[in-house]
Amino acid sequence: MRSAKLWSWIALAAGMLYFFLPLIGMFEFSLRARRGEYSFDAYANVLADPRFRETFGYSVLMALFTIAFGILLVVPTVFWVRLKLPRWRPFIEFITLLPLVIPPIVIVFGYIRLYNTSSWLPLTGSAMGTNLLLMFGYTMLALPYMYRAVDTGLRTIDVQTLTEAAQSLGAGWITILSRLILPNVLVAVLSGAFLTFAIVIGEFVLAALLNRPAFGPYMVWMGSNKAYEPAALAVIAFGVTWVCMGLIQLVTRLSKHTRAQHR
Amino acid sequence: MAFLEISRLEKSFGPLHVVRDFNLDIEQGEFVSLLGPSGCGKTTVLRMVAGFETPNHGAIRIEGRDMVRQRPNQRKIGMVFQAYALFPNLTVAQNVGFGLKVAGVPRREAADRVAEMLALIGLPDLGGRYPFQLSGGQQQRVALARALAVRPRVLLLDEPLSALDAKIRVSLRTEIRAIQQRLAITTIFVTHDQEEALSISDRIVVMNGGIAEQVGTPFQIYNHPTTKFVANFVGTLNTLPAEVVDPSAGIVRVGGQTIRLPESLERAAGTRIGLALRPEALHLGTAEGREVVLPATISDVQFLGSVIRVRAETQGASVALDTFNRADVPPPQVGSPAQISFSARDVIVLEH
C-alpha cells in the first residue's frame, strides 16, 4: 500500500517535471535579456512594440467575432438536430470533427482557390472580405470544440419537453432559443468560447496565408528575428491561455441554476 | 355545438396506426379523462390537440374553429407535462409569468396575475425560488399555475401525477379538480390510472388500440361497461362460468341453479359463457335480495383495515370479494367452506 502510494508520487513528479521543466527553462531564458542579471527587459520590449499591440488587438477582435458567429451557428444547429433530426446526429457530429483531421493548410488553399479575385465571390479582393474569410476559417477550426460543448450542455436538459412547454405558452422559435436554450447552455457556450479564443489567438496558418496582421504570424516573425523576446511572448501567450482555462472553471461554478440540471 | 370537437381523428407513425376514427365532444368547463393502457393512443390524441403532432385525417375544433392548421403557440391551449418541464434557468415567478411576458402583458398586470396564480396553487411565498429548490409536488403545482396564467381556452394534463409519491398524488388530484372547477376551465386529462380517472372526471373516455372503447360518466363506465376490455381495465372483475339456457329470456344455468339475467343474450342455447361480477356485488354468506347462492372455499384473506379482501374458489373459478371489517366478527379462515351470494341484477353482460 505504502509503496504503491510512493510510486504514484514518483510518477506525478516525473510528469510535472516533463511538463514544467521546459516552461521554467523558457521563463528563465526570457528573463536573461540583460547580461549578468535577471530582468523583464524582453517583456518590456515586447509590450512596447506597436506591432504586438496591433496584432494582439486584431486577434482578440477576430476571436470575439468568431465566438459570436460560432454561437449563432452552433446553438440553433445543435438545438434543431436534438429536437427534429436525432437520426442525423452521428452524421453532423462527424462533420464537426472533420477540422481535426483536415489540415488548415488544405482549407486555406481551398479558400484561396474558391474566393480569389477572379472567382465568382472575390472575398480575398478586400481586407474586409479577407477578414470575413479568416473568421469563417477560425469558426471551422473551433467547430469540434464548440459543437461538443454545446451538445453536452443541451444533454443536461429535456430539450423537447421544455420546447413544447414554451410553445404551449405562446413562445416562438426566437424566444425559445434566446430565453430558454441559450441561458441553459450558457456555461457550455462559454467554455466553448474560451477554447475558441485560445485557438484564434495562437493560430498561424490561416492568418499567414491570408496575409492578415494576426498574433500568430507575429509570434513566428518574432521567433525568427529576436533572441529573448520570443520566449517572453510565449510566456505571455501561455498566460492568456491559462487565464481562459481559469475563466472556464469560474463560470462553471458561478452559474446559479445549474444544480437543477444535476438532480 | 360543443366547445371542443374532435371528429374522425386519425394518426399513424409509419405503419403503426396509433389513433383510429377518434370522436369526442367536450362541453365548456367539462373535465374529461382519456384512460387506457400505455400505447393506446391517449397521449397522441392529447398532443394533436396541443399541436405537437399533426393528424393524418380529421378535425379538432374549438368554438367551431379548426385548430389543425394552427401552430402550437397560436392555439391558446395550456399544457402540464408528466416531467413538470419547468424552465430551470427561471425562478418560480418567472416561470409562471413566462407566457404573460411572451404575450406582452404589461409588467404590473403580469406581476398581479403571477401572485394570483401562486396563491391559487397555495405557494404564495415561493416566487423567488428556482425549480430545483422545490419538491416534485410543488414543481407540478407551479407547472399548473404557469399553464393557467395565460388563461388558456383548454387545459391539457399529460399524466401530471405519475411521477409523484402516492400520497401527494391523491392530494394534488383533489387540488387540480378543485382549481379546475373554480376556474371552470375545459380540461382533458390523460392517465393510465383508473382510480385517478374515476375520482376526478366528469366523463371518461376508455381507449384501447387507438379506439375510444366507451365514453361515459365514471358511474356508467364502472357499473355498465359495454366491452370486455372496459370491464377488465376499470376495476376488478370476477368471471363465473355459466351455460346459456334460453337466450331470448336471458336465462342461464350456474352451479346447478337457473337464473334470469337483466338482459337477453345473443348466444345460442348450450353455449358456455362467463358471468361478470364486481367484487362488491358478491356477498360472503347469504343475504336478503341476493337470490343466487353458491358453495365456495376460502382460498385467501387480506386484511386491509376497513375492508377485508377475500378470495374464494367456486364453480372452478377464483373470485375476489370485499367485506367490511367488523371488530366483533373475526375474518374468515383460509380453507374453510363458505357460501357466496349475489343478485342476478348485478351481473354485467358484455357485448363481446
Side-chain angles (χ1 to χ4, degrees):
Chain A
M1 187 69 197
R2 267 190 73 88
S3 75
K5 208 165 190 178
L6 182 73
W7 279 111
S8 51
W9 277 112
I10 290 173
L12 183 68
M16 299 279 273
L17 274 181
Y18 182 78
F19 283 114
F20 283 105
L21 211 53
L23 283 180
I24 293 167
M26 185 173 70
F27 181 62
E28 200 261 356
F29 183 72
S30 73
L31 300 177
R32 286 212 212 171
R34 200 176 296 175
R35 198 168 292 251
E37 59 175 318
Y38 286 140
S39 71
F40 284 98
D41 281 4
Y43 292 85
N45 290 343
V46 166
L47 294 175
D49 186 353
R51 284 193 58 203
F52 168 79
R53 273 174 275 167
E54 274 165 30
T55 55
F56 194 71
Y58 177 85
S59 282
V60 168
L61 200 64
M62 285 308 288
L64 294 181
F65 277 114
T66 305
I67 288 165
F69 183 69
I71 291 172
L72 284 178
L73 178 74
V74 170
V75 174
T77 308
V78 178
F79 170 67
W80 201 251
V81 169
R82 281 214 160 251
L83 194 65
K84 300 274 180 181
L85 312 165
R87 262 184 262 166
W88 283 49
R89 254 190 76 207
F91 185 65
I92 305 263
E93 232 165 66
F94 175 74
I95 290 179
T96 62
L97 289 178
L98 282 180
L100 292 182
V101 289
I102 299 176
I105 190 95
V106 174
I107 292 157
V108 76
F109 273 116
Y111 277 0
I112 291 170
R113 270 193 76 102
L114 270 175
Y115 303 111
N116 62 40
T117 44
S118 56
S119 74
W120 58 279
L121 188 61
L123 279 177
T124 56
S126 66
M128 210 55 224
T130 318
N131 286 343
L132 204 62
L133 206 53
L134 187 59
M135 185 190 76
F136 291 147
Y138 284 158
T139 308
M140 203 200 46
L141 289 185
L143 202 57
Y145 311 99
M146 200 61 155
Y147 188 90
R148 288 277 151 153
V150 175
D151 196 43
T152 311
L154 272 188
R155 198 170 300 170
T156 59
I157 59 170
D158 185 348
V159 175
Q160 196 189 344
T161 317
L162 288 184
T163 304
E164 287 177 355
Q167 280 182 314
S168 74
L169 292 167
W173 293 117
I174 294 180
T175 312
I176 291 171
L177 273 170
S178 62
R179 304 260 329 268
L180 284 184
I181 301 305
L182 197 57
N184 277 306
V185 294
L186 198 61
V187 173
V189 165
L190 282 176
S191 60
F194 289 126
L195 281 170
T196 307
F197 188 84
I199 291 168
V200 172
I201 290 296
E203 208 286 325
F204 170 73
V205 177
L206 291 185
L209 287 166
L210 288 173
N211 196 25
R212 296 312 300 152
F215 190 55
Y218 173 72
M219 278 202 287
V220 173
W221 174 85
M222 189 73 112
S224 54
N225 287 291
K226 303 265 177 149
Y228 300 102
E229 282 77 0
L233 204 54
V235 171
I236 292 174
F238 263 109
V240 171
T241 314
W242 284 353
V243 167
C244 283
M245 296 296 181
L247 284 176
I248 295 176
Q249 291 294 321
L250 201 67
V251 292
T252 316
R253 285 190 200 161
L254 277 185
S255 74
K256 211 171 173 188
H257 62 267
T258 41
R259 267 203 293 154
Q261 297 160 5
H262 304 303
R263 271 184 318 121
Chain B
M1 187 180 68
F3 179 72
L4 171 62
E5 296 175 315
I6 301 173
S7 61
R8 316 204 60 176
L9 209 59
E10 301 262 348
K11 179 71 186 175
S12 305
F13 293 113
L16 205 65
H17 215 136
V18 186
V19 176
R20 307 155 194 251
D21 195 22
F22 186 87
N23 298 281
L24 181 65
D25 284 359
I26 302 178
E27 297 301 331
Q28 182 141 31
E30 205 179 3
F31 192 115
V32 174
S33 292
L34 305 184
L35 174 67
S38 54
C40 72
K42 56 190 193 299
T43 297
T44 309
V45 169
L46 197 76
R47 291 174 60 79
M48 286 193 277
V49 175
F52 302 134
E53 306 286 354
T54 312
N56 297 108
H57 183 77
I60 299 165
R61 280 186 285 272
I62 297 179
E63 293 176 304
R65 278 192 61 195
D66 195 358
M67 293 284 113
V68 171
R69 292 276 171 83
Q70 287 198 357
R71 289 201 294 273
N73 56 352
Q74 299 172 320
R75 295 191 183 195
K76 292 191 174 166
I77 290 176
M79 184 144 174
V80 175
F81 299 83
Q82 184 180 344
Y84 321 138
L86 293 183
F87 307 134
N89 56 316
L90 303 179
T91 63
V92 166
Q94 287 169 333
N95 263 285
V96 176
F98 185 88
L100 301 171
K101 197 163 180 184
V102 168
V105 174
R107 189 173 287 190
R108 179 170 296 175
E109 197 186 325
D112 288 348
R113 187 92 61 85
V114 169
E116 181 194 328
M117 285 298 146
L118 290 178
L120 184 72
I121 56 163
L123 303 172
D125 305 323
L126 299 188
R129 298 247 187 118
Y130 280 94
F132 73 89
Q133 295 167 315
L134 303 181
S135 70
Q138 288 172 329
Q139 289 193 49
Q140 199 55 296
R141 279 194 261 171
V142 173
L144 182 67
R146 181 179 67 178
L148 290 172
V150 288
R151 305 227 163 106
R153 295 182 293 181
V154 177
L155 178 65
L156 306 178
L157 306 169
D158 185 9
E159 308 216 15
L161 306 170
S162 304
L164 300 171
D165 300 340
K167 231 176 196 166
I168 296 167
R169 210 180 297 168
V170 173
S171 67
L172 189 54
R173 84 178 181 217
T174 317
E175 211 172 314
I176 287 177
R177 176 60 160 163
I179 291 171
Q180 183 268 333
Q181 284 178 323
R182 190 167 348 148
L183 302 179
I185 183 166
T186 313
T187 304
I188 306 179
F189 177 77
V190 160
T191 181
H192 60 262
D193 184 329
Q194 41 137 334
E195 189 191 312
E196 258 171 42
L198 290 171
S199 62
I200 62 174
S201 313
D202 290 320
R203 276 193 301 156
I204 295 175
V205 181
V206 183
M207 290 187 68
N208 181 33
I211 303 170
E213 289 247 346
Q214 190 178 354
V215 183
T217 63
F219 185 84
Q220 287 169 340
I221 296 279
Y222 187 83
N223 292 307
H224 306 290
T226 52
T227 70
K228 196 166 191 167
F229 174 82
V230 176
N232 274 314
F233 190 76
V234 181
T236 316
L237 206 64
N238 295 305
T239 318
L240 286 174
E243 188 186 331
V244 179
V245 177
D246 181 351
S248 59
I251 294 175
V252 298
R253 182 181 294 124
V254 53
Q257 303 173 50
T258 50
I259 59 172
R260 176 188 281 266
L261 299 178
E263 297 170 47
S264 59
L265 298 163
E266 290 169 358
R267 299 290 183 90
T271 334
R272 297 201 64 81
I273 60 165
L275 300 184
L277 284 152
R278 294 286 185 205
E280 59 271 25
L282 290 172
H283 186 79
L284 198 61
T286 56
E288 204 176 320
R290 296 172 193 266
E291 68 282 6
V292 189
V293 181
L294 299 170
T297 311
I298 307 290
S299 60
D300 186 35
V301 177
Q302 283 179 13
F303 187 75
L304 304 175
S306 63
V307 169
I308 301 171
R309 176 150 292 178
V310 178
R311 272 209 162 271
E313 307 293 327
T314 182
Q315 314 298 316
S318 173
V319 295
L321 57 106
D322 294 341
T323 64
F324 282 112
N325 174 36
R326 281 171 54 189
D328 54 336
V329 180
Q333 295 290 311
V334 173
S336 63
Q339 283 183 315
I340 290 174
S341 60
F342 64 91
S343 165
R345 279 176 293 119
D346 292 332
V347 172
I348 299 169
V349 180
L350 302 172
E351 273 172 6
H352 32 251

